[in-house]
Amino acid sequence: MSTGRSHGPRRFLALIALPLALAVSTPGLASPTTDNAVAPDRSSTGEQNGVGLMRIVVANKSGIDRLNQLGVDLAEYTKPVDNGIEVHAILSPEESQALRDKGFDVQDAISDQSDYAQNMAERAAAIRAATATTAGTDTLTVLRAEWFSSLDNQLFLNIEVKSSAGTDSTTVLTASWDGGPGTEIGSGGTATMSRFTDAGQYMYHRFSNPVPITAAPARATITSNKGGSATVDVAKWLGSPRKNPGKHPYVSDFVDHYMDPTEVTARFTGLAAEFPQLTELIDLPYKTNGYRRQAQAQFGTAAASTLYVTSTAYGSEGGNDDITMSLVNPGTANAPLSVSVSGKAVTVRLATDGSGATSSTAAQVVAAVNGNAGAAKMLTASTYRGNAGTGVVAAAAATQLTDNLKAPASVSREPFQMKVLRIGKHRDGSKVGVFLYCQEHAREWVTPLVCVESAERLLRNYANDPNTRKIVDGLDIFILPVVNPDGAHYSMYDFNMQRRNMTNYCPAANADPGRRNAWGVDINRNFSVGSVFDGYVGASATSCTSDTFAGPNELSEPEARNEVWLVDTFPNIKLSMNTHSYGGYFMWPPGAYKAEGREVLPRVDQGTEAYFWTSSDYILSRVQEYRGTAIWPGRTGPVTDVLYSAAGNSADEHWYNRGIIGWDFEVGADVYNPETGRFSAVGFQPPFAEGHEEAMEFANGNIAILEVARAYATDKIQPKTSLKIVKQEAGATAFTFSTSEPANVYYTLDGSRPTYGSAKLALAGMREGVQNITVNSDTTVNWFSIDIAGNVESNYKPDGEGSNYNKQRVGVQ
């Protein structure tokens, strides 16, 4: 590997990938609250109400800044287009029109609620098929078991088996065979079979491709993780066999629908039980707040005369249990305002004037309800969004409070137990650790599939694939498939564009039912490095309805604290990957800057930057192998170079506090249409056919990261360097260093012995490669290098007394 690569093209691409600060989400953008009407929010009734992922084209960065100031919910995506910059935003029809009225070019939708409905219908069909299985041990019916020769007389094995539990996508069949008559089952090999479906229907299990074998088998045994087993004779098919060693197939493709966190966690629990010698399941110490909300009801249509009530208990803990409130016209003149409670029914008898018309204002009703001891045990009342509540309240029939949550009963409303699957033959801290984690942002449905697919591949290929065995034997792998389980459940069942968790820190002025889709904390803005609390850009510390709300303080959320606990508890973790969507990015720290002077967090040193770049070449090549997707150079690099500032993100937390080399995937690269010659964005929740492909190709990337980590763990090769004259002119000579692999170079110009305290070769600038050093007189340069794995050139001891460092005289004309 060499650090002498040119970064020239990246400098140009960096100029067009303009940075922007993440915007805040302000429901009601189209119609600000007045005393005349309740704001038409995105989801005042808990429905989706036409919210879509919309294209906006702005002329330049100032247009993005204006969107940010207006509180538009921007996606993590920018793209240069002919007439400016394309950005994407989550908008309701009212919000879209409001932006058009302000002169913005709001274009077509990338995805809307019809796409959401189709995704959910496909998912439901897959789950119905998976659950339509019989209880207990499954029955295996062997359809075919044959060996044959082909491809220059190479031997192959073909087996097809139908399981009575095959409609369950978690059913895994494993085939083992002998090495010929009289030998033991398993002596010829073992391989996991793939589940074959057609038009959404389970057909049978098979090998994705015939398995190369070294000897004709006589018998094979097929076993199921559901308990079934069958042993059969293996017949000869067609021509005569000849010996020729082959390789076992690499098994992949273990996801067939979008999965909620409950399903994903069950899958990981099953893997841990199935592979106890290679795994352990770690319960993270901080449970989430849970997929739960207080129950609510709202009364009124005009802001000044509207009020709402909120249960003191969560809906799942009694708030949904038949609590009602009614506003009653007593039907008499000069009646006083009163509140009574009968069981779980709260009745407000409104005051009337001399003519018998109701006269109680919203503020008066709120005070009366909150002042009644019986009512206050069950609920609290509030005026609408901080309104003074001077409008007269209308009578209303008894209305039951509800938390409006729509997930099925299989999704627990209790605090969620996050789990990490630890994979490795040696899980004692002696091996280099790698942390793979997904779905910090709830609406990114593809990302947990990447983590699931990665785990399945590691475990199901271990027995037969030498490369997988080297990875699992040589590393300590920690996979957290869903960082944000509460928000992910909410995104799948309630509001698909939910980004944050579900913890509501909003005061009463922002806690009415119409704001239910605007609550929560952005987990990837809640960390302690480069945070908004320290003045960095890309999050909100004040707006509880912002889609980048960082929470009340750093690490306030259990989801974020769980990540920190893991990397602190297992200090052998040296590398990590945080998978997000969408746009097709591959990034690393620094990830945040301060607005004034664009003060970026300290850049990584040039050796680490070179390591990021050379690793990206390999990792992204593996992504591309699956279906040809190329992550663009302009979307590869430090976050602040290719995207924007993301204050308080997790990669910065782990790098700056612990030195963990961390990357960020944004899966879902733009798809090229050769007929139009254009790239199209895929969005957060593409049809599953596309989501599946993204999961497969970026699982390739995760495996590549593990291969990079293993190379890091086993690297014993010392780097080599040379001094290169770059430019000579009268009175000045410029030089730099080239290295055989990513490495930091320490040097002196005064003839002294170089140490770790000496000057260190730096980066010339953003995406520009290494610096040139200029001397104005003849100078002896002494230097040494050290690579990322800690190997020092020539085994030099910088803190010792040796003199085996590099020396070269640089002359000046």
Side-chain angles (χ1 to χ4, degrees):
M1 295 185 287
S2 171
T3 59
R5 56 187 296 163
S6 169
H7 293 308
R10 298 194 186 98
R11 294 179 61 191
F12 170 74
L13 289 167
L15 295 177
I16 60 175
L18 294 172
L20 69 125
L22 277 174
V24 297
S25 171
T26 305
L29 171 67
S31 302
T33 303
T34 68
D35 284 344
N36 299 319
V38 171
D41 291 308
R42 294 181 181 182
S43 186
S44 59
T45 63
E47 300 300 327
Q48 304 287 348
N49 287 358
V51 174
L53 181 62
M54 307 295 292
R55 289 184 176 85
I56 306 175
V57 174
V58 295
N60 49 41
K61 183 182 180 296
S62 64
I64 299 173
D65 293 339
R66 188 173 173 221
L67 290 170
N68 186 26
Q69 292 164 1
L70 289 170
V72 176
D73 179 4
L74 293 174
E76 297 175 350
Y77 180 94
T78 66
K79 181 172 73 174
V81 292
D82 292 342
N83 54 338
I85 303 170
E86 178 182 315
V87 296
H88 300 163
I90 313 301
L91 300 171
S92 67
E94 294 86 359
E95 291 169 331
S96 295
Q97 188 57 51
L99 288 177
R100 292 188 182 103
D101 293 344
K102 294 179 184 294
F104 284 96
D105 182 9
V106 181
Q107 301 186 352
D108 58 315
I110 295 165
S111 64
D112 57 24
Q113 297 312 315
S114 63
D115 301 300
Y116 169 73
Q118 181 177 347
N119 273 329
M120 293 305 289
E122 290 179 353
R123 179 178 181 275
I127 292 174
R128 283 196 300 272
T131 54
T133 59
T134 57
T137 300
D138 60 337
T139 300
L140 303 185
T141 303
V142 180
L143 306 179
R144 305 188 75 91
E146 303 143 324
W147 63 264
F148 62 96
S149 64
S150 183
L151 300 176
D152 195 26
N153 295 319
Q154 166 66 52
L155 301 188
F156 294 91
L157 177 65
N158 176 73
I159 299 177
E160 298 167 3
V161 182
K162 189 170 186 177
S163 165
S164 62
T167 54
D168 182 347
S169 62
T170 66
T171 301
V172 177
L173 304 189
T174 303
S176 300
W177 55 93
D178 62 27
T183 61
E184 295 291 327
I185 293 289
S187 61
T190 300
T192 302
M193 306 182 73
S194 296
R195 184 170 166 269
F196 172 47
T197 62
D198 185 46
Q201 298 298 311
Y202 169 72
M203 306 301 289
Y204 48 85
H205 280 72
R206 63 182 183 182
F207 299 132
S208 297
N209 297 292
V211 177
I213 54 177
T214 59
R219 292 175 67 76
T221 296
I222 301 91
T223 57
S224 168
N225 64 333
K226 304 296 185 182
S229 179
T231 299
V232 294
D233 294 333
V234 180
K236 176 185 173 184
W237 171 255
L238 301 178
S240 300
R242 293 186 184 178
K243 273 191 176 182
N244 194 5
K247 294 183 178 179
H248 293 283
Y250 186 85
V251 184
S252 62
D253 198 352
F254 295 97
V255 294
D256 63 4
H257 65 278
Y258 285 125
M259 303 172 70
D260 71 27
T262 298
E263 294 174 275
V264 171
T265 303
R267 175 76 72 92
F268 270 37
T269 301
L271 287 174
E274 188 176 351
F275 297 94
Q277 301 304 314
L278 297 176
T279 68
E280 61 185 86
L281 208 57
I282 300 172
D283 284 349
L284 296 179
Y286 304 104
K287 289 188 177 182
T288 70
N289 189 54
Y291 173 75
R292 56 185 183 175
R293 289 259 171 87
Q294 271 90 6
Q296 294 184 302
Q298 186 164 303
F299 303 86
T301 57
S305 58
T306 293
L307 62 102
Y308 70 96
V309 291
T310 303
S311 63
T312 55
Y314 286 108
S316 56
E317 297 177 352
N320 288 339
D321 295 346
D322 301 324
I323 299 175
T324 63
M325 190 170 94
S326 57
L327 306 177
V328 177
N329 183 337
T332 60
N334 298 313
L337 173 65
S338 65
V339 176
S340 61
V341 177
S342 176
K344 295 184 179 180
V346 177
T347 302
V348 179
R349 289 178 174 79
L350 302 172
T352 58
D353 59 18
S355 67
T358 58
S359 59
S360 296
T361 67
Q364 290 169 339
V365 172
V366 166
V369 171
N370 291 338
N372 181 282
K377 289 181 180 180
M378 294 186 290
L379 53 81
T380 58
S382 306
T383 57
Y384 182 73
R385 299 195 181 172
N387 195 284
T390 57
V392 174
V393 174
T399 300
Q400 183 171 334
L401 276 65
T402 175
D403 63 10
N404 285 305
L405 296 178
K406 300 174 184 177
S410 58
V411 174
S412 172
R413 272 57 173 174
E414 295 303 309
F416 196 90
Q417 176 61 68
M418 295 168 60
K419 295 177 182 289
V420 166
L421 185 65
R422 186 180 187 183
I423 300 174
K425 184 176 181 180
H426 306 283
R427 302 182 305 278
D428 55 5
S430 63
K431 301 295 182 180
V432 167
V434 184
F435 179 29
L436 307 177
Y437 56 112
C438 298
Q439 207 172 18
E440 282 184 334
H441 291 148
R443 61 195 178 196
E444 299 169 5
W445 290 7
V446 177
T447 63
L449 304 184
V450 177
C451 273
V452 169
E453 177 70 18
S454 300
E456 291 272 7
R457 290 187 189 183
L458 290 171
L459 294 172
R460 303 205 182 280
N461 287 293
Y462 178 83
N464 298 303
D465 178 61
N467 186 57
T468 301
R469 195 154 50 248
K470 289 177 182 177
I471 291 171
V472 174
D473 288 353
L475 295 173
D476 197 357
I477 304 161
F478 301 81
I479 305 182
L480 175 56
V482 182
V483 175
N484 183 3
D486 300 342
H489 279 128
Y490 193 78
S491 174
M492 188 156 283
Y493 296 108
D494 299 275
F495 179 62
N496 68 307
M497 288 301 173
Q498 178 78 7
R499 170 185 171 100
R500 294 155 287 163
N501 69 6
M502 289 180 63
T503 304
N504 180 15
Y505 287 102
C506 286
N510 278 310
D512 59 89
R515 287 275 164 92
R516 67 192 303 270
N517 289 341
W519 299 330
V521 175
D522 183 343
I523 303 303
N524 205 32
R525 299 297 182 272
N526 188 235
F527 291 91
S528 68
V529 174
S531 76
V532 66
F533 303 101
D534 295 327
Y536 287 83
V537 172
S540 173
T542 57
S543 174
C544 65
T545 58
S546 165
D547 242 22
T548 57
F549 179 50
N553 50 263
E554 295 171 351
L555 298 174
S556 62
E557 303 309 291
E559 298 91 338
R561 293 199 303 275
N562 277 333
E563 279 192 39
V564 170
W565 177 88
L566 186 76
V567 294
D568 282 345
T569 302
F570 301 99
N572 61 317
I573 294 176
K574 303 298 182 185
L575 301 96
S576 69
M577 166 53 73
N578 181 11
T579 301
H580 284 265
S581 76
Y582 62 98
Y585 292 81
F586 187 63
M587 302 177 290
W588 53 82
Y593 55 75
K594 294 181 179 179
E596 186 174 353
R598 200 177 184 273
E599 180 187 338
V600 179
L601 281 167
R603 290 188 175 273
V604 301
D605 56 42
Q606 71 82 23
T608 304
E609 179 78 353
Y611 183 77
F612 278 129
W613 276 110
T614 53
S615 298
S616 72
D617 286 346
Y618 180 74
I619 294 164
L620 297 182
S621 293
R622 293 295 305 277
V623 171
Q624 189 180 34
E625 283 176 4
Y626 182 75
R627 59 168 177 170
T629 299
I631 304 304
W632 303 345
R635 293 183 178 179
T636 302
V639 174
T640 53
D641 292 1
V642 302
L643 193 59
Y644 42 62
S645 178
N649 69 81
S650 60
D652 285 346
E653 167 78 28
H654 303 328
W655 166 252
Y656 291 100
N657 280 346
R658 298 163 193 87
I660 295 172
I661 296 170
W663 289 278
D664 297 295
F665 273 146
E666 290 277 351
V667 310
D670 291 356
V671 176
Y672 183 71
N673 185 335
E675 294 181 1
T676 64
R678 294 180 179 274
F679 285 93
S680 300
V682 296
F684 295 112
Q685 299 146 20
F688 181 75
E690 166 63 22
H692 171 272
E693 298 298 276
E694 294 172 18
M696 294 302 105
E697 63 190 358
F698 282 91
N700 273 15
N702 266 353
I703 300 301
I705 286 166
L706 296 175
E707 291 169 338
V708 167
R710 183 176 174 275
Y712 165 89
T714 58
D715 181 9
K716 303 299 180 185
I717 300 174
Q718 298 168 3
K720 297 180 181 179
T721 57
S722 61
L723 187 150
K724 296 172 55 178
I725 302 298
V726 177
K727 184 178 181 180
Q728 281 188 305
E729 56 188 11
T733 298
F735 69 91
T736 190
F737 301 95
S738 65
T739 62
S740 60
E741 62 173 301
N744 281 310
V745 179
Y746 294 84
Y747 65 92
T748 64
L749 303 177
D750 59 3
S752 63
R753 183 175 177 277
T755 68
Y756 290 127
S758 302
K760 183 162 64 171
L761 183 66
L763 292 164
M766 184 179 70
R767 303 167 80 82
E768 292 185 29
V770 297
Q771 69 177 150
N772 293 333
I773 303 160
T774 300
V775 294
N776 302 112
S777 60
D778 292 353
T779 302
T780 297
V781 183
N782 298 330
W783 79 92
F784 71 94
S785 64
I786 177 172
D787 68 14
I788 302 302
N791 300 303
V792 180
E793 186 173 7
S794 301
N795 203 29
Y796 172 62
K797 306 295 185 186
D799 297 328
E801 306 220 348
S803 59
N804 58 327
Y805 48 81
N806 300 294
K807 311 174 186 68
Q808 185 169 326
R809 185 81 169 168
V810 175
V812 176
Q813 299 174 350

